[in-house]
Amino acid sequence: MKIVKFEDLHCDAGWRTFSFLKVTTDEGLVGWSEYTEADGSTGLTAVIHGMAGTLIGQDPRPVQAITSLLYVRTQQAPNGVNQRAIAAIENALLDIKGKALGVPVYELFGGPVRTRLPIYWSHCGTYRVRNFDMVGEPRCRTYGDIEALGAEVKAKGFKALKTNILAFDGETLFGFGQGFGRTPGWPALNVDRQTLQAVRDTLGAFRAGAGPEMGLHLDVNYHFKTEGFLKVAKAVEPFDLTWLEIDSWDPGALALIRSQAPCPIASHESVTGRRAFRPFLDAYAADVTIIDVIWNGFLESIKIAAMAEAYEVNVAPHNYYGHLCSAVSAHFCAVAPNFRVMEVDIDSVSWRDELFVNAPVIENGELLLPTGPGWGVDVNEAAVRARPPKRR
């Protein structure tokens, strides 16, 4: 079996673009992976093709050998977009290997530890404030609307949700995003009383609507510096969070926050590669290590999870993409013994399901592990091509 072609496909997914890598073999087997050019990855498609050209004519099945070769060729510019390109290629080749053997990818790694995966509803409220028109749901304008959404999450059988800071400007809610340059406050990233009140109001509304048993997570991304994160950690204390999610590139600062926080701390979603994770683990900087399987690649992700287990730390996937990414992350959750909980975006564009074959099934707040060969989820190529991406 030999690789004969690499193709990239892209489609409109509302406020974002879904991107896919298609790898075709001379025996007709096709492997798929999903990736993103958002979040600082502009130009990733070109990097993927720059690497992929050297793999034409090679057998796709020795995936670790191919991945190791790509690491060697990029060792002078590790991580970043290069890591994400390797991940996209690696994940597509694993799909081919599973299909060639007629087994799910997780069977290649010892079989599943679990087949039903507890999930949390990610970006809960955030998309209905920022992208409500593309989600097709009424806009959340007030904290009363957030309370009603919390009740909806509970009624639909979910056991956990994650939200972001939703601030009120006197007329309507808006998504606080100074760490990404979306709202004023960058690059200083200070915290003020109004923002801390928004944290309390957002969590209070969700807790009131969803009830005391709902697992409640707050993601504050890169929006503050250490001083601000410490103040946010103090503000969330009354709401019994499952975790406070913080992004920081300083292991010592993160460890300091963890030592003073009244709740567990989750972090590292943007980190790629074992060497980059190691300083955070050595510092015992977080209670939960978040691993992006799409950015790291499946092989690297399970190695990072094994490292984390040696530090008595559980792991969770960073997963806010399409259904193929959810399937890849589900395989990771199935084989990692130290799995915590899985992230899934429930709100999305109305046509998301059309873009995939055998989209994952969610029952009573759990994702059912796909059982088909490879990832168990394929791309509906015709549907993807029918919705070209839009510039927004």
Side-chain angles (χ1 to χ4, degrees):
M1 184 187 299
K2 298 185 184 302
I3 300 170
V4 296
K5 186 186 295 186
F6 287 87
E7 298 174 83
D8 58 282
L9 290 79
H10 312 268
C11 71
D12 175 31
W15 57 95
R16 52 190 172 183
T17 295
F18 285 165
S19 296
F20 306 97
L21 179 64
K22 178 184 179 183
V23 183
T24 305
T25 70
D26 60 350
E27 295 186 10
L29 281 179
V30 172
W32 289 99
S33 66
E34 186 176 347
Y35 65 97
T36 179
E37 286 202 317
D39 307 311
S41 295
T42 302
L44 178 54
T45 298
V47 178
I48 290 171
H49 283 288
M51 293 183 183
T54 65
L55 304 179
I56 297 296
Q58 291 196 32
D59 186 333
R61 291 169 293 186
V63 184
Q64 182 62 72
I66 292 172
T67 297
S68 296
L69 175 63
L70 295 177
Y71 280 133
V72 169
R73 288 176 173 169
T74 59
Q75 64 180 332
Q76 290 178 298
N79 299 323
V81 175
N82 275 334
Q83 177 67 46
R84 297 181 187 191
I86 294 171
I89 294 170
E90 173 184 297
N91 290 341
L93 298 186
L94 283 170
D95 192 34
I96 290 175
K97 183 157 188 171
K99 289 173 177 174
L101 295 173
V103 298
V105 169
Y106 53 73
E107 292 292 356
L108 305 176
F109 297 91
V113 177
R114 57 193 68 82
T115 58
R116 297 181 68 95
L117 310 170
I119 65 173
Y120 62 84
W121 180 323
S122 192
H123 298 99
C124 195
T126 307
Y127 291 157
R128 297 196 188 184
V129 167
R130 193 176 70 199
N131 310 109
F132 66 96
D133 52 339
M134 290 177 275
V135 170
E137 296 285 350
R139 183 176 185 177
C140 286
R141 296 182 177 276
T142 68
Y143 290 115
D145 295 333
I146 296 300
E147 181 175 341
L149 176 56
E152 177 187 335
V153 173
K154 179 180 179 181
K156 289 182 174 178
F158 290 90
K159 306 298 190 299
L161 67 86
K162 186 174 80 178
T163 191
N164 307 91
I165 300 174
L166 303 175
F168 188 69
D169 65 5
E171 296 183 2
T172 190
L173 294 172
F174 67 93
F176 177 85
Q178 67 179 17
F180 296 130
R182 293 173 181 158
T183 56
W186 58 275
L189 306 183
N190 292 312
V191 66
D192 56 29
R193 290 185 176 85
Q194 290 78 15
T195 302
L196 294 174
Q197 188 59 48
V199 169
R200 290 188 284 265
D201 290 341
T202 300
L203 295 177
F206 271 119
R207 181 58 77 203
E213 300 303 317
M214 180 66 65
L216 195 55
H217 309 66
L218 178 67
D219 187 354
V220 292
N221 302 108
Y222 293 93
H223 296 327
F224 310 105
K225 294 183 179 174
T226 305
E227 175 204 13
F229 287 131
L230 286 168
K231 289 183 177 180
V232 170
K234 183 177 180 180
V236 306
E237 185 171 8
F239 305 102
D240 188 23
L241 294 192
T242 300
W243 75 47
L244 175 63
E245 191 169 327
I246 292 172
D247 292 313
S248 172
W249 291 109
D250 188 324
L254 194 58
L256 173 66
I257 296 165
R258 183 194 178 204
S259 71
Q260 298 186 24
C263 62
I265 298 296
S267 190
H268 319 330
E269 68 180 27
S270 299
V271 180
T272 53
R274 282 163 287 165
R275 290 176 177 83
F277 274 88
R278 181 178 173 180
F280 290 97
L281 292 169
D282 283 342
Y284 292 89
D287 298 277
V288 180
T289 289
I290 299 177
I291 303 170
D292 193 305
V293 189
I294 307 310
W295 292 345
N296 280 279
F298 192 86
L299 295 174
E300 187 69 7
S301 294
I302 61 174
K303 293 167 186 172
I304 296 165
M307 282 181 57
E309 188 166 29
Y311 289 81
E312 300 297 329
V313 174
N314 283 353
V315 299
H318 180 227
N319 174 57
Y320 70 115
Y321 313 98
H323 290 317
L324 180 54
C325 286
S326 290
V328 174
S329 292
H331 284 249
F332 166 78
C333 297
V335 302
N338 53 326
F339 161 67
R340 181 67 174 83
V341 67
M342 180 173 172
E343 177 177 22
V344 177
D345 270 353
I346 304 302
D347 283 337
S348 187
V349 290
S350 60
W351 61 88
R352 178 173 61 171
D353 289 358
E354 302 170 9
L355 306 174
F356 302 90
V357 181
N358 299 323
V361 175
I362 294 173
E363 286 184 358
N364 197 31
E366 296 177 323
L367 188 143
L368 307 188
L369 185 64
T371 58
W375 299 123
V377 172
D378 279 308
V379 174
N380 182 343
E381 191 169 344
V384 168
R385 293 186 184 278
R387 290 189 178 274
K390 297 179 180 179
R391 185 180 298 274
R392 299 188 186 282

Coordinates of all heavy atoms in Angstrom, one line a residue, residues 226-308:
T226 N -1.1 37.0 36.4 CA -1.2 36.2 37.7 C -2.1 36.9 38.7 O -3.0 36.2 39.3 CB 0.2 35.9 38.3 OG1 1.0 35.3 37.2 CG2 0.1 35.0 39.5
E227 N -1.9 38.2 38.9 CA -2.7 38.9 39.9 C -4.2 38.8 39.6 O -5.0 38.5 40.5 CB -2.3 40.4 39.9 CG -3.2 41.3 40.8 CD -3.2 42.7 40.3 OE1 -2.7 43.0 39.2 OE2 -3.7 43.5 41.1
G228 N -4.6 38.9 38.3 CA -6.0 38.9 37.9 C -6.5 37.5 38.1 O -7.7 37.3 38.5
F229 N -5.8 36.4 37.7 CA -6.2 35.1 37.9 C -6.5 34.8 39.4 O -7.5 34.1 39.7 CB -5.2 34.1 37.3 CG -5.2 34.1 35.8 CD1 -4.0 34.1 35.1 CD2 -6.4 33.9 35.1 CE1 -3.9 34.1 33.7 CE2 -6.3 33.9 33.7 CZ -5.1 34.0 33.0
L230 N -5.6 35.3 40.3 CA -5.8 35.0 41.7 C -7.1 35.7 42.2 O -7.9 35.1 43.0 CB -4.7 35.6 42.5 CG -3.4 34.7 42.4 CD1 -2.2 35.5 43.0 CD2 -3.5 33.4 43.1
K231 N -7.5 36.9 41.7 CA -8.7 37.5 42.0 C -9.9 36.8 41.5 O -10.9 36.7 42.2 CB -8.7 39.0 41.5 CG -7.7 39.9 42.3 CD -7.8 41.3 41.8 CE -6.8 42.2 42.6 NZ -6.9 43.6 42.2
V232 N -9.8 36.3 40.3 CA -10.9 35.5 39.7 C -11.1 34.2 40.5 O -12.3 33.8 40.8 CB -10.6 35.2 38.2 CG1 -11.6 34.1 37.7 CG2 -10.7 36.4 37.4
A233 N -10.0 33.6 40.9 CA -10.1 32.4 41.7 C -10.9 32.6 43.0 O -11.7 31.8 43.5 CB -8.7 31.8 42.0
K234 N -10.6 33.8 43.6 CA -11.3 34.1 44.9 C -12.8 34.4 44.6 O -13.7 34.0 45.4 CB -10.7 35.4 45.5 CG -11.3 35.8 46.8 CD -10.6 37.0 47.4 CE -11.2 37.4 48.7 NZ -10.5 38.6 49.3
A235 N -13.1 35.0 43.4 CA -14.5 35.3 43.1 C -15.3 34.1 42.8 O -16.6 34.1 43.0 CB -14.5 36.2 41.9
V236 N -14.7 33.0 42.3 CA -15.5 31.8 42.0 C -15.8 30.9 43.2 O -16.6 29.9 43.0 CB -14.8 31.0 40.9 CG1 -14.5 31.8 39.7 CG2 -13.6 30.3 41.4
E237 N -15.2 31.2 44.3 CA -15.3 30.2 45.4 C -16.7 29.8 45.8 O -17.0 28.7 46.1 CB -14.6 30.8 46.7 CG -14.5 29.9 47.8 CD -13.7 30.4 49.0 OE1 -13.2 31.6 48.9 OE2 -13.4 29.6 49.9
P238 N -17.7 30.7 45.8 CA -19.1 30.3 46.2 C -19.8 29.3 45.3 O -20.8 28.8 45.6 CB -19.8 31.6 46.3 CG -18.8 32.7 46.3 CD -17.7 32.2 45.5
F239 N -19.2 29.1 44.1 CA -20.0 28.4 43.1 C -19.6 26.9 42.9 O -20.1 26.3 42.0 CB -19.9 29.2 41.8 CG -20.4 30.6 41.9 CD1 -19.5 31.6 42.0 CD2 -21.7 30.9 42.0 CE1 -19.9 32.9 42.2 CE2 -22.2 32.2 42.2 CZ -21.2 33.2 42.3
D240 N -18.7 26.4 43.7 CA -18.3 25.0 43.7 C -18.0 24.5 42.3 O -18.6 23.6 41.8 CB -19.5 24.2 44.3 CG -19.1 22.7 44.5 OD1 -17.9 22.4 44.6 OD2 -20.1 21.9 44.5
L241 N -17.0 25.1 41.7 CA -16.6 24.7 40.4 C -15.9 23.4 40.3 O -15.2 23.0 41.2 CB -15.6 25.7 39.8 CG -16.1 27.2 39.5 CD1 -15.0 27.9 38.7 CD2 -17.4 27.2 38.9
T242 N -16.2 22.6 39.2 CA -15.5 21.4 38.9 C -14.0 21.8 38.6 O -13.1 21.1 39.0 CB -16.1 20.7 37.7 OG1 -17.4 20.4 38.0 CG2 -15.3 19.4 37.3
W243 N -13.8 22.9 37.8 CA -12.5 23.4 37.6 C -12.6 24.8 37.1 O -13.6 25.2 36.5 CB -11.6 22.6 36.8 CG -11.8 22.6 35.3 CD1 -12.0 23.6 34.4 CD2 -11.8 21.4 34.4 NE1 -12.1 23.2 33.1 CE2 -12.0 21.8 33.1 CE3 -11.7 20.0 34.6 CZ2 -12.0 21.0 32.0 CZ3 -11.7 19.2 33.6 CH2 -11.9 19.6 32.3
L244 N -11.5 25.6 37.4 CA -11.3 26.9 36.8 C -10.2 26.7 35.8 O -9.1 26.2 36.1 CB -10.8 27.9 37.9 CG -10.4 29.3 37.4 CD1 -11.6 30.0 36.7 CD2 -9.9 30.1 38.5
E245 N -10.5 27.0 34.5 CA -9.5 26.8 33.4 C -8.8 28.1 33.1 O -9.4 29.1 32.8 CB -10.3 26.3 32.2 CG -9.4 25.7 31.1 CD -10.2 25.0 30.1 OE1 -11.2 24.4 30.4 OE2 -9.8 25.0 28.9
I246 N -7.4 28.0 33.2 CA -6.6 29.1 33.0 C -5.5 28.8 32.0 O -4.9 27.7 32.0 CB -5.9 29.5 34.4 CG1 -6.9 30.0 35.3 CG2 -4.8 30.5 34.2 CD1 -6.4 30.2 36.7
D247 N -5.1 29.7 31.1 CA -4.0 29.5 30.2 C -2.9 30.4 30.6 O -3.1 31.6 30.8 CB -4.4 29.9 28.8 CG -5.4 28.9 28.2 OD1 -5.2 27.7 28.3 OD2 -6.4 29.3 27.6
S248 N -1.7 29.8 30.8 CA -0.5 30.6 31.2 C 0.7 29.9 30.7 O 0.7 28.6 30.7 CB -0.4 30.7 32.7 OG 0.8 31.3 33.1
W249 N 1.7 30.6 30.2 CA 2.9 30.0 29.8 C 4.0 30.0 30.9 O 5.1 29.6 30.6 CB 3.4 30.8 28.5 CG 2.5 30.6 27.3 CD1 1.7 31.6 26.8 CD2 2.4 29.4 26.6 NE1 1.0 31.0 25.7 CE2 1.4 29.7 25.5 CE3 2.9 28.2 26.6 CZ2 1.0 28.8 24.6 CZ3 2.6 27.2 25.7 CH2 1.6 27.5 24.7
D250 N 3.6 30.3 32.1 CA 4.6 30.3 33.2 C 4.2 29.2 34.2 O 3.2 29.4 34.9 CB 4.5 31.7 33.9 CG 5.6 31.8 34.9 OD1 6.0 30.9 35.6 OD2 6.2 33.0 35.0
P251 N 4.9 28.1 34.2 CA 4.6 27.0 35.2 C 4.6 27.5 36.6 O 3.7 27.1 37.4 CB 5.7 26.0 34.9 CG 6.2 26.2 33.5 CD 6.1 27.7 33.4
G252 N 5.5 28.3 37.0 CA 5.6 28.8 38.4 C 4.4 29.6 38.8 O 3.8 29.5 39.9
A253 N 4.0 30.5 37.9 CA 2.8 31.4 38.2 C 1.6 30.5 38.3 O 0.7 30.7 39.2 CB 2.7 32.4 37.0
L254 N 1.4 29.5 37.4 CA 0.2 28.7 37.4 C 0.2 27.9 38.7 O -0.8 27.7 39.3 CB 0.2 27.8 36.2 CG -1.1 27.1 35.9 CD1 -2.2 28.0 35.7 CD2 -0.9 26.2 34.6
A255 N 1.4 27.4 39.1 CA 1.5 26.6 40.4 C 1.1 27.5 41.6 O 0.4 27.0 42.5 CB 2.9 26.0 40.5
L256 N 1.5 28.7 41.5 CA 1.1 29.7 42.6 C -0.4 29.8 42.7 O -1.0 29.8 43.8 CB 1.8 31.0 42.4 CG 1.3 32.1 43.3 CD1 1.8 31.8 44.7 CD2 1.9 33.5 42.9
I257 N -1.0 30.0 41.5 CA -2.5 30.2 41.5 C -3.1 28.9 42.0 O -4.1 29.0 42.8 CB -2.9 30.4 40.0 CG1 -2.4 31.8 39.5 CG2 -4.5 30.4 39.9 CD1 -2.5 32.0 38.0
R258 N -2.7 27.7 41.6 CA -3.2 26.5 42.0 C -3.1 26.4 43.5 O -4.1 25.9 44.2 CB -2.5 25.3 41.4 CG -3.1 24.0 41.7 CD -2.3 22.8 41.4 NE -2.9 21.5 41.8 CZ -2.2 20.4 42.0 NH1 -0.9 20.4 41.9 NH2 -2.8 19.3 42.4
S259 N -2.0 26.8 44.1 CA -1.8 26.7 45.6 C -2.8 27.5 46.4 O -3.1 27.2 47.5 CB -0.4 27.0 45.9 OG -0.2 28.4 45.8
Q260 N -3.4 28.6 45.7 CA -4.3 29.5 46.5 C -5.7 29.4 46.0 O -6.6 29.9 46.7 CB -3.8 30.9 46.3 CG -2.4 31.2 46.9 CD -2.0 32.6 46.9 OE1 -2.8 33.5 46.8 NE2 -0.7 32.9 46.9
A261 N -6.0 28.7 44.9 CA -7.3 28.6 44.4 C -8.2 27.7 45.3 O -7.8 26.7 45.8 CB -7.3 28.1 43.0
P262 N -9.5 28.1 45.4 CA -10.5 27.3 46.2 C -11.1 26.1 45.4 O -12.0 25.5 45.9 CB -11.5 28.3 46.5 CG -11.6 29.2 45.3 CD -10.1 29.3 44.9
C263 N -10.6 25.9 44.2 CA -11.2 24.8 43.3 C -10.0 24.3 42.5 O -8.9 24.9 42.4 CB -12.2 25.4 42.4 SG -11.6 26.7 41.3
P264 N -10.3 23.1 41.8 CA -9.2 22.6 40.9 C -8.9 23.5 39.8 O -9.8 24.2 39.3 CB -9.9 21.3 40.5 CG -10.8 20.9 41.5 CD -11.4 22.2 42.0
I265 N -7.7 23.5 39.3 CA -7.2 24.2 38.2 C -6.9 23.3 37.0 O -6.3 22.3 37.2 CB -5.9 25.0 38.5 CG1 -6.2 26.0 39.6 CG2 -5.4 25.7 37.3 CD1 -7.2 27.1 39.3
A266 N -7.5 23.6 35.8 CA -7.2 22.9 34.6 C -6.4 23.9 33.6 O -6.7 25.1 33.6 CB -8.5 22.4 33.9
S267 N -5.5 23.3 32.9 CA -4.7 24.2 32.0 C -4.0 23.4 30.9 O -4.1 22.1 30.8 CB -3.7 24.9 32.8 OG -3.0 26.0 32.1
H268 N -3.2 24.1 30.1 CA -2.2 23.5 29.1 C -2.8 23.2 27.7 O -2.2 22.5 26.9 CB -1.5 22.2 29.6 CG -1.1 22.2 31.0 ND1 -0.7 23.4 31.7 CD2 -0.9 21.2 31.9 CE1 -0.4 23.1 32.9 NE2 -0.5 21.8 33.1
E269 N -4.0 23.7 27.4 CA -4.7 23.3 26.2 C -3.9 23.7 24.9 O -4.0 23.1 23.9 CB -6.1 23.9 26.1 CG -6.2 25.4 25.9 CD -7.6 25.9 25.8 OE1 -8.5 25.3 26.4 OE2 -7.8 27.0 25.2
S270 N -3.1 24.8 25.0 CA -2.3 25.2 23.9 C -0.9 24.7 23.8 O -0.2 24.9 22.9 CB -2.2 26.8 23.9 OG -3.5 27.4 23.9
V271 N -0.5 23.9 24.8 CA 0.8 23.3 24.9 C 0.9 22.1 23.9 O 0.0 21.3 23.8 CB 1.2 22.9 26.3 CG1 2.6 22.3 26.4 CG2 1.0 24.1 27.3
T272 N 2.0 22.0 23.2 CA 2.2 20.9 22.3 C 3.6 20.3 22.6 O 4.6 20.9 22.7 CB 2.2 21.3 20.8 OG1 3.1 22.4 20.6 CG2 0.8 21.7 20.4
G273 N 3.6 18.9 22.6 CA 4.8 18.2 22.8 C 5.2 17.9 24.2 O 5.0 18.7 25.1
R274 N 5.7 16.7 24.4 CA 6.0 16.2 25.8 C 7.0 17.2 26.5 O 6.9 17.5 27.7 CB 6.6 14.8 25.7 CG 5.6 13.7 25.6 CD 6.3 12.4 25.2 NE 6.7 12.5 23.7 CZ 7.5 11.6 23.2 NH1 8.1 10.7 23.9 NH2 7.8 11.7 21.9
R275 N 8.0 17.6 25.7 CA 9.0 18.5 26.3 C 8.4 19.8 26.9 O 8.9 20.3 27.9 CB 10.2 18.8 25.3 CG 11.0 17.6 25.0 CD 12.1 17.9 23.9 NE 12.9 16.8 23.7 CZ 12.6 15.7 22.9 NH1 11.5 15.7 22.3 NH2 13.5 14.7 22.7
A276 N 7.4 20.3 26.2 CA 6.8 21.5 26.6 C 5.8 21.3 27.8 O 5.7 22.2 28.6 CB 6.0 22.2 25.5
F277 N 5.3 20.1 27.9 CA 4.4 19.8 29.0 C 5.2 19.5 30.3 O 4.7 19.8 31.4 CB 3.6 18.5 28.7 CG 2.3 18.8 28.0 CD1 2.2 18.9 26.6 CD2 1.1 19.0 28.7 CE1 1.0 19.1 26.0 CE2 -0.1 19.3 28.1 CZ -0.1 19.4 26.7
R278 N 6.4 19.1 30.1 CA 7.2 18.6 31.3 C 7.4 19.7 32.4 O 7.2 19.4 33.6 CB 8.5 18.1 30.9 CG 9.4 17.6 32.0 CD 10.7 17.0 31.5 NE 11.6 16.6 32.7 CZ 12.8 16.1 32.6 NH1 13.3 15.9 31.4 NH2 13.5 15.8 33.6
P279 N 7.7 20.9 32.0 CA 7.9 21.9 33.1 C 6.6 22.2 33.9 O 6.7 22.4 35.1 CB 8.3 23.2 32.4 CG 8.9 22.7 31.1 CD 8.1 21.5 30.7
F280 N 5.5 22.1 33.3 CA 4.2 22.3 34.0 C 3.9 21.1 34.9 O 3.4 21.3 36.1 CB 3.0 22.4 33.0 CG 3.1 23.7 32.2 CD1 3.6 23.8 30.9 CD2 2.5 24.9 32.7 CE1 3.7 24.9 30.2 CE2 2.5 26.0 32.0 CZ 3.1 26.1 30.8
L281 N 4.2 19.9 34.5 CA 4.1 18.7 35.3 C 5.1 18.8 36.5 O 4.7 18.5 37.6 CB 4.2 17.5 34.5 CG 3.1 17.2 33.5 CD1 3.5 16.1 32.5 CD2 1.8 16.9 34.2
D282 N 6.3 19.1 36.2 CA 7.3 19.2 37.3 C 6.9 20.2 38.3 O 7.2 20.1 39.5 CB 8.7 19.6 36.7 CG 9.4 18.4 36.0 OD1 9.0 17.3 36.2 OD2 10.3 18.7 35.2
A283 N 6.2 21.3 37.9 CA 5.8 22.3 38.9 C 4.5 22.0 39.6 O 4.0 22.7 40.4 CB 5.7 23.7 38.1
Y284 N 3.9 20.9 39.2 CA 2.5 20.5 39.7 C 1.6 21.7 39.6 O 0.9 22.2 40.5 CB 2.6 20.0 41.2 CG 3.3 18.7 41.3 CD1 4.7 18.7 41.4 CD2 2.6 17.5 41.2 CE1 5.4 17.5 41.5 CE2 3.3 16.3 41.3 CZ 4.7 16.3 41.4 OH 5.3 15.1 41.5
A285 N 1.6 22.2 38.3 CA 0.9 23.5 38.1 C -0.6 23.4 37.9 O -1.3 24.4 37.9 CB 1.5 24.1 36.8
A286 N -1.1 22.2 37.7 CA -2.6 22.1 37.4 C -3.1 20.7 38.0 O -2.3 19.7 38.1 CB -2.9 22.2 35.9
D287 N -4.4 20.7 38.3 CA -5.0 19.5 38.8 C -5.4 18.6 37.6 O -5.4 17.4 37.7 CB -6.2 19.8 39.6 CG -5.9 20.6 40.8 OD1 -5.5 19.9 41.8 OD2 -6.0 21.8 40.8
V288 N -5.8 19.2 36.5 CA -6.2 18.5 35.2 C -5.3 19.1 34.1 O -5.3 20.3 33.9 CB -7.7 18.7 34.9 CG1 -8.0 18.0 33.7 CG2 -8.5 18.2 36.1
T289 N -4.7 18.2 33.3 CA -3.9 18.5 32.2 C -4.8 18.4 30.9 O -5.3 17.3 30.6 CB -2.7 17.6 32.0 OG1 -1.7 18.0 33.0 CG2 -2.0 17.8 30.7
I290 N -5.0 19.5 30.2 CA -5.8 19.5 29.0 C -4.9 19.3 27.8 O -3.9 20.0 27.7 CB -6.6 20.8 28.9 CG1 -7.5 20.9 30.1 CG2 -7.4 20.8 27.6 CD1 -8.3 22.2 30.1
I291 N -5.2 18.3 27.0 CA -4.4 18.0 25.8 C -5.2 18.1 24.5 O -6.3 17.5 24.4 CB -3.9 16.5 25.9 CG1 -3.1 16.3 27.2 CG2 -3.0 16.2 24.7 CD1 -2.8 14.9 27.5
D292 N -4.7 18.9 23.6 CA -5.4 19.0 22.3 C -4.9 17.9 21.4 O -3.7 18.0 20.9 CB -5.2 20.4 21.7 CG -6.1 20.6 20.5 OD1 -6.1 19.8 19.6 OD2 -6.8 21.6 20.5
V293 N -5.7 16.9 21.1 CA -5.3 15.8 20.3 C -5.1 16.1 18.9 O -4.4 15.5 18.1 CB -6.3 14.6 20.5 CG1 -5.8 13.3 19.8 CG2 -6.6 14.3 22.0
I294 N -5.8 17.2 18.4 CA -5.8 17.6 17.1 C -4.5 18.4 16.8 O -3.9 18.4 15.7 CB -7.0 18.5 16.7 CG1 -8.3 17.7 17.1 CG2 -7.0 18.9 15.3 CD1 -8.3 16.3 16.5
W295 N -4.0 19.1 17.8 CA -2.7 19.9 17.7 C -1.5 19.0 18.0 O -0.4 19.3 17.4 CB -2.8 21.1 18.6 CG -3.8 22.1 18.2 CD1 -4.4 22.2 17.0 CD2 -4.2 23.2 19.0 NE1 -5.3 23.3 17.0 CE2 -5.2 23.9 18.2 CE3 -4.0 23.6 20.3 CZ2 -5.9 25.1 18.7 CZ3 -4.7 24.8 20.8 CH2 -5.6 25.5 20.0
N296 N -1.6 18.1 18.9 CA -0.5 17.2 19.3 C -0.3 16.0 18.4 O 0.8 15.5 18.2 CB -0.6 16.8 20.7 CG -0.2 17.9 21.7 OD1 1.0 18.1 21.9 ND2 -1.1 18.6 22.3
G297 N -1.5 15.5 17.9 CA -1.5 14.2 17.2 C -1.8 13.1 18.3 O -1.4 13.2 19.4
F298 N -2.4 12.0 17.8 CA -2.9 11.0 18.7 C -1.7 10.3 19.4 O -1.7 10.1 20.6 CB -3.7 10.0 17.9 CG -4.4 9.0 18.8 CD1 -5.7 9.3 19.3 CD2 -3.9 7.8 19.2 CE1 -6.4 8.4 20.1 CE2 -4.6 6.9 20.0 CZ -5.8 7.2 20.5
L299 N -0.7 10.0 18.7 CA 0.5 9.3 19.3 C 1.1 10.1 20.4 O 1.4 9.6 21.5 CB 1.5 8.9 18.2 CG 1.1 7.9 17.1 CD1 2.1 7.8 16.1 CD2 0.7 6.6 17.8
E300 N 1.4 11.4 20.1 CA 2.0 12.3 21.1 C 1.1 12.5 22.3 O 1.5 12.5 23.4 CB 2.4 13.6 20.5 CG 3.2 14.5 21.4 CD 4.6 14.0 21.7 OE1 5.0 13.0 21.1 OE2 5.3 14.6 22.5
S301 N -0.2 12.6 22.0 CA -1.2 12.8 23.1 C -1.2 11.7 24.1 O -1.3 12.0 25.3 CB -2.6 13.1 22.5 OG -2.6 14.2 21.7
I302 N -1.2 10.5 23.7 CA -1.3 9.4 24.6 C 0.1 9.3 25.4 O 0.1 8.8 26.6 CB -1.6 8.0 24.0 CG1 -0.6 7.6 22.9 CG2 -3.0 8.1 23.4 CD1 -0.9 6.2 22.4
K303 N 1.1 9.7 24.8 CA 2.4 9.8 25.6 C 2.4 10.9 26.6 O 2.9 10.7 27.8 CB 3.6 10.0 24.6 CG 3.8 8.8 23.6 CD 4.7 9.2 22.5 CE 4.8 8.1 21.5 NZ 5.6 8.5 20.3
I304 N 1.8 12.0 26.3 CA 1.6 13.1 27.3 C 0.7 12.6 28.4 O 1.0 12.9 29.6 CB 1.1 14.3 26.6 CG1 2.1 14.9 25.6 CG2 0.8 15.4 27.6 CD1 1.5 15.9 24.6
A305 N -0.3 11.9 28.1 CA -1.3 11.4 29.1 C -0.5 10.4 30.0 O -0.7 10.5 31.3 CB -2.5 10.7 28.5
A306 N 0.3 9.6 29.5 CA 1.1 8.7 30.3 C 2.1 9.4 31.2 O 2.3 9.1 32.4 CB 1.9 7.7 29.4
M307 N 2.7 10.5 30.7 CA 3.5 11.3 31.6 C 2.7 11.9 32.7 O 3.1 11.9 33.9 CB 4.1 12.5 30.7 CG 5.3 12.1 29.9 SD 5.9 13.6 29.0 CE 6.3 14.7 30.3
A308 N 1.5 12.5 32.4 CA 0.7 13.1 33.4 C 0.3 12.1 34.5 O 0.3 12.4 35.7 CB -0.5 13.7 32.8

